[in-house]
C-alpha cells in the first residue's frame, strides 16, 4: 500500500452525467405523445416504445413496445447507521403530474414501524424509449444515502446482465496528460431480436447489485432529504452512446479494436480501431482525426475523415493501422463539429506468443482475477502470454477463479486470508483452524497469514498482537494436524524494520517458512537506497522505497537466518499527473528494473499488484483521484499499459536467468547486473547521472505534477560507455523492443541514461573478485534536450 495525497477538485469538460440527469435534460429520441391511464389500483404511462405499469403493493413494471414486461420490481431498501436495513412493505400508486405538467406515476411506499419517520415517494415518467425513475427520501439524519437500493428483476433475458461504466476523457487544466473520468454507470440487459435495455445511473456499485437489487445511492435534495435516481432506456447502441444521446447534448466518442486487449501477435498485422461517435443534438457534419505514436513519439498514423451524423444518432468509422514490429502504439481520436469536441485514447501493442520454460518462475500476480473480461479463458490466456506463473490468492468459494482453473493451466497458487487482531484467544484459535482447513483444501503451497497488519507503520507496536492472535494459532494448528503447507507472515506494508525486529524478538522468526512484504515506492527509482536509518513513513517518506528496504531485510537475515523472500505486492502506480507516482513511461522502466533487482537478490516470487486499473466492486469505474485505481498493468478499457510489456519483457528475458553479480564501472553512477541466460550473457545497464528522484521538474502544485506524454524521454543526460564486443550487440528496452548495434574494431559504444536496458553480445568477466566489462571506457555525460 502507499500513502494517500490530498486531491484537487476537478470537473469534466461537459459536467457529470448526474448533473444532466438532475436537470432533467435526458432525451433519447424525438418526443412522442405520453398517455396515462388509471383504473382498479393500476396506473399506466405509455410513450413511443415503452410503458410503465404501477400496481398496488409497490410493483413497477417496465414494458416494451409490444407490452411485454422486461423489468419488474416492488420494493425500496434503506440503510440507517443505527437501526440497520429497512425494506418497504408495500406501495400505493396514483396518477400525478410533474411540475411541468408531464404525466407521472406517484408511488407512496410503506415501511414497518422500525423505519420510524422515514418516507419514500417514487415519481416515474416516460418519454420515447425512456423511463425516468426517481425516489425522494426523507427521514432521520442517520440514514445512509449510499445504502439506497431499488428492486428489479429482468424478465427472460437472453444473456447475463453487464455492468458498464460510461467515461469521458479530460485534458487536465493544470497541465500534464489527459485522463478518464466516469460520468455514469450502466446496468445492461438484452432480450435478443435487437432489443437491449439499460439502467443508467450517476453512480452504482456492482458489488451491491444483484439479480434482485440495484444500488442507487442518494444525493442531497435542496428541499431536504435525498433523491435517488435511475434512467431506463431501450436502445440498440452501446451504453456510452446511449448516455451521450440521452443527455441530449454534445458529442461522445468511444474506441474499440478488433482484438481482445488490443494485442497483436506480429508486426504488420492490421490493427482496426473503430470510433463510435454519438450525437446528442441536431443533425450535423463532423470530422474524425486519428493520431498514433510509438514509444519514441514517431507518428505511425495521422489522418482525418469527415462524415454526417443524424440527430440523436451515431456514426461509426474504422481506421486500419499496421501493428508495430514490437512495442506499443498510443492512439488518440478527436471528433469535432463546430465548437464541440470530444476525444478518446487507447493503446495497441504487439506481443508475440512465448513458451516459458522455468518450472519455478518468480513471476506472479498479487490478487485473484476478479475482472474476467472478455472472458476468464481470455484473461488466463493473457496471463500465460505475459509470464504469470503464480497467483497469490485462490480458494473454492472465494473471489476470482477456483484453484482448479489454475491447476488446469499449470499456474501455481497460494492463499492469503485476513485475521482480526482484536479477538479473544478462543476466537483466534477457531479462525486458525477454519482458515488452515480452507488453505489446505485449496491446495495452496503457502498460507500468507494476513495482509498489511503492521499499522502504525515503522513503529513495531503491532508485532506482538499479530503473533498472539494470528500467526501462532495457525502455526500451532498446523503442528496439530500435520499439515505441510508453508507459512508466511502477513505481507507487511513497506519493509517495516521495527516490526520485524519485534517479531523476531518475540519468537516469530521460527514460525514462518517465508517472509512476505510489500516494497511500496514513492517517486524514487527502484534502486534507490535512502541514506541513514530514519526513514519517515508519512505521505512523502523515504520508507516507501524498493531496494533500500530489501537490503535492510537481507542484513537482518544475515543475523537471524535466511528465509525465502516473497514480495507479495509490488507495484508501479500510474495516478495521472501526480508527482509521487510513476508516469506511464517511468512505470515500464521501473517494472523492468524492479524485477531484475528481485531476480538478482534471489527473491522467491514477486506478485505484481495488480493486473487491471480498477477497484474491486466497481470494475472499470474510472477514478482519477483514487490511488488504488491506478496500480494495473492494463488500462481501464482492457488495453495494455507499457507496464504490461515491461512485465512480459522481464519474464521472458529472465525466465531461466542465473545471476552472476553486479558490474563495476569507472563512473560510479553507472550500474549493471550480469545474468547468464540460454541466449548467452545478459547485462542490465543504467546510469544515475540524473539522480534517483522522479518527477522533479515542472510546476508542481501540492500533489499535482504535469506529467509528460509517455513518448517523451524523461532522462536529459546521456552517458556514453565504450566496451569490447563481438560481431553483434542486441539492445532490449523496457517494453521489449530490440535494436542491433554493430561494433567497430572490436568495440561498441552504448548510450546509457536512467532507463534500464538489457544487452546481449557483451562479455562480462570476473577479475580479482570484481565483475567488469572488458575494454570499458566511460565518456563524458552530455545533456540532451528532448523536443516533444
Amino acid at each position: 500500500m502507499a500513502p494517500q495525497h490530498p486531491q484537487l477538485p476537478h470537473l469534466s469538460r461537459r459536467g457529470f452525467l448526474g448533473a444532466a440527469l438532475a436537470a432533467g435534460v435526458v432525451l433519447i429520441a424525438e418526443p412522442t405523445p405520453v398517455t396515462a391511464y388509471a383504473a382498479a389500483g393500476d396506473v399506466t404511462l405509455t410513450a413511443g416504445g415503452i410503458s410503465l405499469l404501477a400496481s398496488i403493493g409497490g410493483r413497477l413494471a417496465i414494458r416494451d413496445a409490444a407490452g411485454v414486461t422486461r423489468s419488474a420490481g416492488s420494493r425500496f431498501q434503506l440503510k440507517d447507521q443505527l437501526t440497520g436495513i429497512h425494506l418497504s412493505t408495500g406501495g400505493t400508486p396514483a396518477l400525478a403530474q410533474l411540475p411541468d405538467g408531464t404525466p407521472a406515476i406517484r408511488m407512496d411506499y410503506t415501511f414497518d414501524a422500525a423505519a420510524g419517520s422515514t418516507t419514500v415517494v417514487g415519481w416515474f415518467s416516460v418519454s420515447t424509449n425512456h423511463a425516468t425513475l426517481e425516489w425522494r427520501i426523507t427521514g432521520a439524519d442517520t440514514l445512509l444515502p449510499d445504502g439506497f437500493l431499488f428492486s428489479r428483476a429482468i424478465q427472460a433475458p437472453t444473456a447475463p446482465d453487464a455492468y458498464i461504466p460510461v467515461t469521458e476523457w479530460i485534458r487536465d487544466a493544470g497541465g500534464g496528460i489527459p485522463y478518464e473520468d466516469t460520468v455514469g454507470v450502466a446496468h445492461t440487459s438484452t432480450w435478443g431480436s435487437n432489443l437491449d435495455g439499460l439502467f443508467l445511473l450517476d453512480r452504482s456499485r456492482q458489488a451491491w447489485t444483484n439479480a434482485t437489487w440495484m444500488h442507487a445511492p442518494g444525493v442531497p435534495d435542496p428541499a431536504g432529504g435525498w433523491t435517488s435516481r435511475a434512467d431506463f432506456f431501450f436502445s440498440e447502441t452501446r451504453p456510452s452512446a446511449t448516455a451521450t444521446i440521452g443527455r441530449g447534448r454534445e458529442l461522445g466518442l468511444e474506441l474499440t479494436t478488433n482484438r481482445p486487449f488490443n494485442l497483436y501477435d506480429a508486426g504488420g498485422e492490421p490493427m482496426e480501431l473503430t470510433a463510435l461517435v454519438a450525437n446528442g443534438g441536431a443533425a450535423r457534419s463532423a470530422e474524425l482525426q486519428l493520431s498514433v505514436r510509438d514509444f519514441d513519439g514517431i507518428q505511425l498514423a495521422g489522418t482525418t475523415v469527415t462524415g454526417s451524423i443524424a440527430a440523436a444518432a451515431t456514426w461509426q468509422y474504422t481506421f486500419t493501422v499496421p501493428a508495430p514490429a514490437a512495442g506499443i502504439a498510443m492512439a488518440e481520436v478527436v471528433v469535432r463539429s463546430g465548437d464541440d469536441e470530444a476525444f478518446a485514447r487507447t493503446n495497441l501493442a504487439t506481443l508475440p506468443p512465448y513458451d516459458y520454460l522455468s518450472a519455478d518462475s518468480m513471476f506472479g500476480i498479487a490478487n485473484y482475477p476478479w475482472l474476467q473480461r472478455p472472458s476468464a479463458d481470455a484473461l488466463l490466456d493473457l496471463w500465460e502470454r505475459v509470464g504469470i506463473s503464480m497467483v497469490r490468492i485462490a480458494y473454492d468459494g472465494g473471489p476470482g477463479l477456483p484453484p482448479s482453473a489454475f491447476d488446469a493451466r499449470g499456474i501455481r497458487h497460494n492463499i492469503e486470508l485476513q485475521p482480526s487482531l482484536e479477538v479473544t484467544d478462543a476466537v483466534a484459535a477457531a479462525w486458525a483452524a477454519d482458515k488452515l482447513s480452507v488453505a489446505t483444501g485449496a491446495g495452496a503451497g503457502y498460507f500468507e497469514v494476513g495482509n498489511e497488519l503492521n499499522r502504525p507503520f515503522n513503529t513495531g507496536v503491532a508485532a506482538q498482537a499479530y503473533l498472539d492472535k494470528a500467526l501462532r494459532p495457525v502455526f500451532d494448528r498446523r503442528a496439530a494436524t500435520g499439515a505441510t503447507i508453508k507459512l508466511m507472515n502477513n505481507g507487511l506494508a513497506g519493509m517495516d524494520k521495527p516490526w520485524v525486529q519485534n517479531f523476531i524478538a518475540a519468537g516469530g522468526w521460527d514460525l514462518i517458512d517465508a517472509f512476505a512484504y510489500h516494497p511500496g515506492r514513492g517517486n524514487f527509482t527502484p534502486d534507490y537506497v535512502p541514506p541513514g536509518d530514519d526513514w519517515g513513513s508519512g505521505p512523502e517518506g523515504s520508507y516507501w522505497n524498493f531496494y533500500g528496504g530489501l537490503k535492510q531485510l537481507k542484513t537482518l537475515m544475515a543475523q537471524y537466518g535466511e528465509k525465502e523472500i516473497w514480495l507479495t505486492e509490488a507495484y508501479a502506480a500510474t495516478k495521472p499527473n501526480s508527482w509521487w507516482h510513476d508516469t506511464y513511461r517511468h512505470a515500464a522502466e521501473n517494472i523492468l528494473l524492479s524485477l531484475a533487482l528481485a531476480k538478482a537478490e534471489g527473491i522467491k516470487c514477486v506478485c505484481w499488484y495488480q493486473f487491471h486499473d480498477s477497484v474491486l466492486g466497481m470494475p472499470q469505474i474510472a477514478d482519477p483521484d483514487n490511488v488504488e485505481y491506478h496500480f494495473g498493468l492494463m488500462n481501464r478499457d482492457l488495453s495494455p499499459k507499457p507496464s504490461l510489456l515491461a512485465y512480459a519483457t522481464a519474464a521472458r528475458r529472465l525466465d531461466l536467468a542465473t545471476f552472476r553479480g553486479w558490474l563495476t564501472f569507472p563512473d560510479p553512477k553507472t550500474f549493471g547486473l550480469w545474468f547468464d541466460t540460454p541466449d548467452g550473457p545478459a547485462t542490465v545497464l543504467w546510469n544515475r547521472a540524473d539522480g534517483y528522484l522522479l518527477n522533479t521538474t515542472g510546476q508542481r502544485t501540492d500533489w499535482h505534477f504535469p506529467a509528460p506524454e509517455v513518448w517523451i524521454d524523461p532522462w536529459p543526460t546521456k552517458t556514453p560507455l565504450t566496451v569490447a564486443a563481438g560481431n553483434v550487440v542486441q539492445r532490449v528496452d523496457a517494453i521489449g523492443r530490440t535494436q542491433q548495434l554493430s561494433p567497430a574494431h572490436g568495440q561498441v559504444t552504448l548510450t546509457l541514461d536512467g532507463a534500464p536496458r538489457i544487452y546481449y553480445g557483451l562479455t562480462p568477466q570476473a577479475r580479482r573478485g570484481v565483475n567488469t566489462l572488458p575494454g570499458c571506457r566511460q565518456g563524458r555525460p552530455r545533456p540532451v534536450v528532448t523536443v516533444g
Side-chain angles (χ1 to χ4, degrees):
M1 72 89 60
Q4 300 290 314
H5 284 254
Q7 308 301 323
L8 295 178
H10 62 87
L11 293 173
S12 74
R13 179 176 62 88
R14 293 187 288 272
F16 292 107
L17 174 63
L21 295 179
V25 300
V26 176
L27 179 65
I28 190 65
E30 293 297 322
T32 55
V34 177
T35 60
Y37 177 77
D42 291 345
V43 182
T44 304
L45 295 180
T46 302
I50 193 169
S51 64
L52 296 180
L53 171 63
S55 305
I56 293 293
R59 184 174 184 268
L60 180 69
I62 301 175
R63 304 186 297 186
D64 63 21
V68 177
T69 297
R70 298 301 183 178
S71 173
S74 61
R75 293 183 295 173
F76 196 85
Q77 182 178 140
L78 303 165
K79 187 173 184 180
D80 187 289
Q81 61 183 337
L82 297 180
T83 59
I85 292 174
H86 303 284
L87 306 181
S88 62
T89 56
T92 302
L95 183 59
Q97 287 185 343
L98 300 180
D100 63 1
T102 301
I105 297 171
R106 172 177 173 143
M107 181 76 75
D108 288 276
Y109 292 88
T110 58
F111 289 82
D112 59 26
S117 61
T118 299
T119 66
V120 177
V121 178
W123 290 89
F124 313 129
S125 58
V126 295
S127 58
T128 307
N129 292 324
H130 170 218
T132 300
L133 313 177
E134 191 170 278
W135 294 267
R136 298 174 188 173
I137 302 98
T138 62
D141 291 340
T142 51
L143 284 176
L144 298 171
D146 204 41
F148 297 167
L149 298 91
F150 67 91
S151 71
R152 63 88 181 87
I154 301 301
Q155 306 296 294
T158 56
D161 282 6
Y163 174 85
I164 308 294
V166 179
T167 67
E168 71 174 5
W169 280 85
I170 299 168
R171 301 198 192 277
D172 197 319
I177 60 172
Y179 55 84
E180 280 187 288
D181 205 352
T182 295
V183 295
V185 176
H187 295 271
T188 66
S189 303
T190 184
W191 297 278
S193 302
N194 296 320
L195 182 63
D196 298 290
L198 60 86
F199 285 94
L200 185 63
L201 300 92
D202 179 23
R203 294 187 302 120
S204 181
R205 287 180 177 268
Q206 184 190 45
W208 297 355
T209 299
N210 54 38
T212 302
W213 293 100
M214 181 167 292
H215 178 227
V219 296
D221 191 313
W226 302 269
T227 297
S228 179
R229 174 164 175 155
D231 283 79
F232 179 86
F233 299 101
F234 285 118
S235 176
E236 295 182 3
T237 189
R238 294 174 65 89
S240 63
T242 299
T244 296
I245 297 170
R247 284 183 293 184
R249 53 191 290 219
E250 304 197 9
L251 296 171
L253 181 63
E254 182 181 16
L255 302 179
T256 56
T257 73
N258 60 329
R259 289 292 180 85
F261 311 112
N262 298 5
L263 288 174
Y264 298 81
D265 294 344
E269 288 190 68
M271 302 189 303
E272 294 182 3
L273 179 62
T274 297
L276 178 65
V277 180
N279 176 21
R284 65 179 75 187
S285 60
E287 68 174 23
L288 277 175
Q289 183 178 50
L290 169 71
S291 176
V292 183
R293 293 177 181 263
D294 72 4
F295 201 61
D296 296 323
I298 297 172
Q299 191 166 45
L300 304 178
T303 187
T304 300
V305 297
T306 59
S308 298
I309 324 173
T314 61
W315 172 36
Q316 183 169 295
Y317 186 87
T318 298
F319 299 95
T320 301
V321 181
I328 197 163
M330 281 68 67
E332 177 176 292
V333 177
V334 181
V335 58
R336 298 184 181 90
S337 179
D339 294 334
D340 191 15
E341 176 181 305
F343 76 103
R345 290 186 166 194
T346 194
N347 294 338
L348 307 94
T350 301
L351 185 65
Y354 188 85
D355 292 326
Y356 297 89
L357 301 176
S358 175
D360 192 26
S361 168
M362 77 168 194
F363 294 92
I365 202 74
N367 59 355
Y368 35 83
W370 49 265
L371 182 54
Q372 297 163 29
R373 294 180 179 172
S375 68
D377 281 340
L379 180 61
L380 292 181
D381 287 345
L382 180 56
W383 279 23
E384 291 184 322
R385 179 176 287 210
V386 301
I388 293 171
S389 66
M390 164 67 73
V391 61
R392 182 188 183 200
I393 305 171
Y395 58 98
D396 287 321
L401 295 169
S404 59
F406 301 114
D407 293 338
R409 299 282 189 137
I411 297 175
R412 294 167 293 142
H413 47 89
N414 288 341
I415 195 168
E416 179 272 317
L417 297 168
Q418 185 78 329
S420 171
L421 305 187
E422 299 178 355
V423 296
T424 65
D425 290 346
V427 171
W431 183 90
D434 178 34
K435 301 310 179 186
L436 183 66
S437 177
V438 171
T440 56
Y446 294 74
F447 182 4
E448 186 179 351
V449 186
N451 179 71
E452 298 192 351
L453 292 170
N454 57 315
R455 290 176 175 83
F457 307 134
N458 215 25
T459 64
V461 300
Q464 188 66 57
Y466 173 72
L467 273 169
D468 294 343
K469 302 298 184 180
L471 183 60
R472 194 177 299 278
V474 173
F475 179 87
D476 291 344
R477 181 64 179 177
R478 185 182 67 166
T481 61
T484 59
I485 191 172
K486 294 183 178 181
L487 300 183
M488 295 184 201
N489 59 288
N490 76 102
L492 303 181
M495 216 316 285
D496 195 331
K497 183 178 178 181
W499 190 97
V500 177
Q501 289 173 321
N502 288 353
F503 178 75
I504 292 171
W509 203 245
D510 293 334
L511 306 186
I512 58 172
D513 303 289
F515 183 87
Y517 84 102
H518 305 161
R521 183 175 55 77
N523 68 321
F524 315 118
T525 62
D527 54 322
Y528 178 57
V529 179
D533 294 323
D534 186 18
W535 295 352
S537 55
E540 302 177 22
S542 57
Y543 171 87
W544 305 105
N545 74 82
F546 185 90
Y547 197 51
L550 181 54
K551 298 299 288 183
Q552 270 192 351
L553 177 60
K554 286 295 195 78
T555 299
L556 289 170
M557 285 190 175
Q559 182 177 358
Y560 295 105
E562 300 294 324
K563 300 285 183 183
E564 291 180 8
I565 299 175
W566 286 65
L567 307 183
T568 52
E569 289 184 16
Y571 56 76
T574 56
K575 181 182 176 184
N577 305 320
S578 169
W579 65 264
W580 181 253
H581 302 97
D582 286 351
T583 66
Y584 288 113
R585 190 179 191 94
H586 279 321
E589 297 167 352
N590 292 336
I591 286 171
L592 177 61
L593 185 55
S594 296
L595 292 171
L597 290 170
K599 186 73 172 181
E601 293 292 342
I603 302 304
K604 182 67 173 178
C605 188
V606 180
C607 295
W608 206 262
Y609 184 83
Q610 60 180 329
F611 198 70
H612 291 103
D613 271 2
S614 277
V615 295
L616 182 64
M618 299 181 72
Q620 296 182 278
I621 295 292
D623 191 348
D625 285 338
N626 183 1
V627 173
E628 190 70 17
Y629 164 85
H630 297 283
F631 285 93
L633 297 173
M634 304 286 287
N635 289 309
R636 183 208 65 82
D637 70 346
L638 310 185
S639 69
K641 291 182 182 179
S643 298
L644 181 82
L645 300 188
Y647 184 100
T649 298
R652 294 176 182 202
R653 298 293 176 170
L654 301 176
D655 183 30
L656 294 175
T658 301
F659 182 60
R660 292 291 303 275
W662 283 81
L663 296 170
T664 299
F665 299 93
D667 179 359
K669 294 180 180 179
T670 295
F671 299 92
L673 303 172
W674 170 14
F675 296 94
D676 280 342
T677 78
D679 296 321
T683 57
V684 182
L685 304 178
W686 68 97
N687 181 274
R688 286 286 171 244
D690 294 318
Y692 296 86
L693 302 185
L694 305 175
N695 307 331
T696 58
T697 60
Q699 297 299 313
R700 289 173 27 172
T701 304
D702 197 14
W703 62 267
H704 187 271
F705 163 71
E709 294 282 10
V710 66
W711 53 81
I712 302 297
D713 182 351
W715 302 106
T717 306
K718 308 300 177 185
T719 301
L721 175 68
T722 300
V723 296
N727 293 327
V728 177
V729 173
Q730 184 186 67
R731 185 184 75 179
V732 183
D733 70 5
I735 62 170
R737 298 180 303 171
T738 61
Q739 182 180 1
Q740 304 300 320
L741 307 178
S742 299
H745 308 294
Q747 292 183 323
V748 66
T749 298
L750 314 175
T751 301
L752 305 183
D753 58 21
R757 297 175 180 88
I758 306 171
Y759 293 87
Y760 296 86
L762 307 180
T763 56
Q765 294 179 354
R767 293 180 177 177
R768 301 183 184 91
V770 176
N771 301 318
T772 62
L773 290 174
C776 180
R777 289 187 293 108
Q778 200 90 39
R780 183 184 300 274
R782 59 185 189 276
V784 174
V785 177
T786 301
V787 179

